[in-house]
Amino acid sequence: MDATDSDSGLIAGIGLGDAAGAQTLNWSDLANGRPDGFHLCWLHLDQKEEMSRNWIKQKAGLPQIAADALIAEETRPRVQRFDQGVLIVLRGVNLNPGADPEDMVSLRIWIERGFMITVRLRRLLAVQDTLTALENGFRPADTDELLAHLAERLFRRMEPVIDDLEERIDLVDEEQTASDTRHPTRELQTLRLRTIILRRYILPQRDALRHLTNDPPSWFTQQTLSSLNEAADRVIRYVESLDEIRERAMVIQDTIQNRSSEELNRRLYILSVISAICLPIGLLTGLLGINVAGMPGAETAWAFWAVTLIMILIVGLEVWALRSLKWFK
């Protein structure tokens, strides 16, 4: 692929004919529309480039609704059947450097017998995996097999992200169990947010794949349908894992809140007991502290120690009474 082609929006163009090798296509091969002479043609285009958008709208030979969906700014996972092909919109995790995996990247697909277009906004490693497989000798019989391979790679790329979330929730659970003082609430909030976002975008893909396999084009082979069903089952497992992570996060959050409430209640209880003990002797010292004539013991040298002994006896009686009432152990 020439740099000029890639810069103009044609990221990859692959044509498979009767010859053993795959032929690389460029914009000159697409000047008059779809290239001829291939039993399978795959074009991977960049939605951000004007040349790609113009080619899709004017020369790809697609229904207007499908063409608009391929170049739309915002999409959601779905499958839509047309007389000549199928529009498929999927999403993959964003594994680009510095990106958040939950910032999922859409992949728009138009597929018909012998011809497939994929359109991206950002790079997807699953597409690179499929291109590498073609370079290494992968030869799909038709575009349905190519789609199955691409979908398998797209969803397999999600697995490390889900596994990482499961490991992190395990670590948070161990931390909050082992320590009464460290409450990993910030990490917990991050995990819950990522889980919610991933589930929001992954769940519709299950429905899209089910719709495709329940009402497939006539030229889809049984092997392709099996592969797509397996991909749908993989998505279901991911959704179940995300649900489990979210529920565990809620349980951990509840545990942390209950522990915090117990600590606060225990401290308030201790303060209440101290206040109850100190109230009578506080009343006594306040009474003896008034500066009026006739205060008993003001002229007696041992009066201070007598009052101190009386307060000690009062505290002892209070402690005995509170223990008898089982207010504390």
Side-chain angles (χ1 to χ4, degrees), residues 6-7 13 15 20 32 37 94 106 115 139 141 181 187 192 213 264 327:
S6 180
D7 293 340
N32 297 320
N94 192 346
S106 66
F115 183 66
R139 293 294 176 265
T181 58
E187 174 72 4
R192 291 181 66 179
T213 55
L264 179 61
W327 281 25

Side-chain angles (χ1 to χ4, degrees), residues 212-257:
L212 181 60
T213 55
N214 290 336
D215 185 24
S218 59
W219 47 275
F220 271 34
T221 65
Q222 188 59 46
Q223 182 178 356
T224 295
L225 294 177
S226 298
S227 299
L228 293 176
N229 277 319
E230 184 176 348
D233 291 339
R234 184 184 295 273
V235 173
I236 293 174
R237 291 196 299 271
Y238 292 159
V239 172
E240 291 174 349
S241 297
L242 291 173
D243 287 339
E244 180 184 358
I245 293 171
R246 184 178 60 176
E247 291 173 1
R248 289 185 61 190
M250 293 175 62
V251 171
I252 294 173
Q253 184 68 41
D254 291 341
T255 302
I256 292 174
Q257 291 178 349

Side-chain angles (χ1 to χ4, degrees), residues 32-275:
N32 297 320
R34 302 185 184 188
D36 297 325
F38 303 103
H39 77 267
L40 188 152
C41 178
W42 175 27
L43 304 177
H44 185 48
L45 305 176
D46 190 343
Q47 187 268 353
K48 297 187 294 294
E49 297 295 333
E50 184 177 0
M51 187 175 292
S52 295
R53 297 195 298 268
N54 290 337
W55 191 89
I56 290 173
K57 290 188 294 185
Q58 300 171 9
K59 297 185 178 182
L62 306 181
Q64 186 64 41
I65 297 177
D68 292 340
L70 288 179
I71 62 177
E73 291 294 333
E74 297 293 336
T75 60
R76 65 182 304 276
R78 62 190 176 105
V79 169
Q80 187 171 355
R81 288 284 303 274
F82 294 86
D83 291 338
Q84 66 188 88
V86 184
L87 172 68
I88 307 170
V89 180
L90 300 175
R91 284 183 180 266
V93 290
N94 192 346
L95 299 178
N96 293 310
D100 295 325
E102 67 270 19
D103 183 19
M104 300 189 74
V105 182
S106 66
L107 181 66
R108 301 95 181 273
I109 305 170
W110 170 263
I111 181 171
E112 59 186 76
R113 194 161 201 170
F115 183 66
M116 186 169 82
I117 299 176
T118 55
V119 181
R120 73 162 204 199
L121 274 76
R122 286 166 288 178
R123 188 171 69 104
L124 270 172
L125 295 182
V127 176
Q128 301 302 319
D129 293 341
T130 306
L131 290 172
T132 301
L134 290 170
E135 293 175 358
N136 293 335
F138 170 55
R139 293 294 176 265
D142 208 331
T143 48
D144 63 320
E145 186 177 345
L146 181 61
L147 172 67
H149 186 278
L150 181 59
E152 190 273 337
R153 294 308 307 167
L154 187 71
F155 297 127
R156 188 174 292 275
R157 282 284 183 178
M158 296 180 184
E159 187 169 0
V161 176
I162 305 298
D163 291 342
D164 178 67
L165 290 176
E166 290 179 336
E167 292 175 1
R168 290 172 63 181
I169 196 67
D170 287 340
L171 182 61
V172 170
D173 196 4
E174 292 174 1
E175 288 178 352
Q176 69 87 19
T177 301
S179 175
D180 289 338
T181 58
R182 182 181 178 185
H183 294 167
T185 54
R186 179 173 299 179
E187 174 72 4
L188 198 60
Q189 291 172 355
T190 300
L191 287 175
R192 291 181 66 179
L193 179 60
R194 289 191 169 183
T195 300
I196 291 171
I197 294 175
L198 282 172
R199 189 184 187 280
R200 173 188 174 190
Y201 287 117
I202 291 178
L203 183 59
Q205 302 192 87
R206 176 198 64 181
D207 299 331
L209 288 175
R210 287 302 187 200
H211 178 68
L212 181 60
T213 55
N214 290 336
D215 185 24
S218 59
W219 47 275
F220 271 34
T221 65
Q222 188 59 46
Q223 182 178 356
T224 295
L225 294 177
S226 298
S227 299
L228 293 176
N229 277 319
E230 184 176 348
D233 291 339
R234 184 184 295 273
V235 173
I236 293 174
R237 291 196 299 271
Y238 292 159
V239 172
E240 291 174 349
S241 297
L242 291 173
D243 287 339
E244 180 184 358
I245 293 171
R246 184 178 60 176
E247 291 173 1
R248 289 185 61 190
M250 293 175 62
V251 171
I252 294 173
Q253 184 68 41
D254 291 341
T255 302
I256 292 174
Q257 291 178 349
N258 291 336
R259 181 180 299 165
S260 299
S261 298
E262 290 175 359
E263 291 178 357
L264 179 61
N265 291 335
R266 183 167 59 251
R267 291 168 183 172
L268 291 175
Y269 174 74
I270 293 173
L271 289 175
S272 300
V273 171
I274 294 175
S275 299

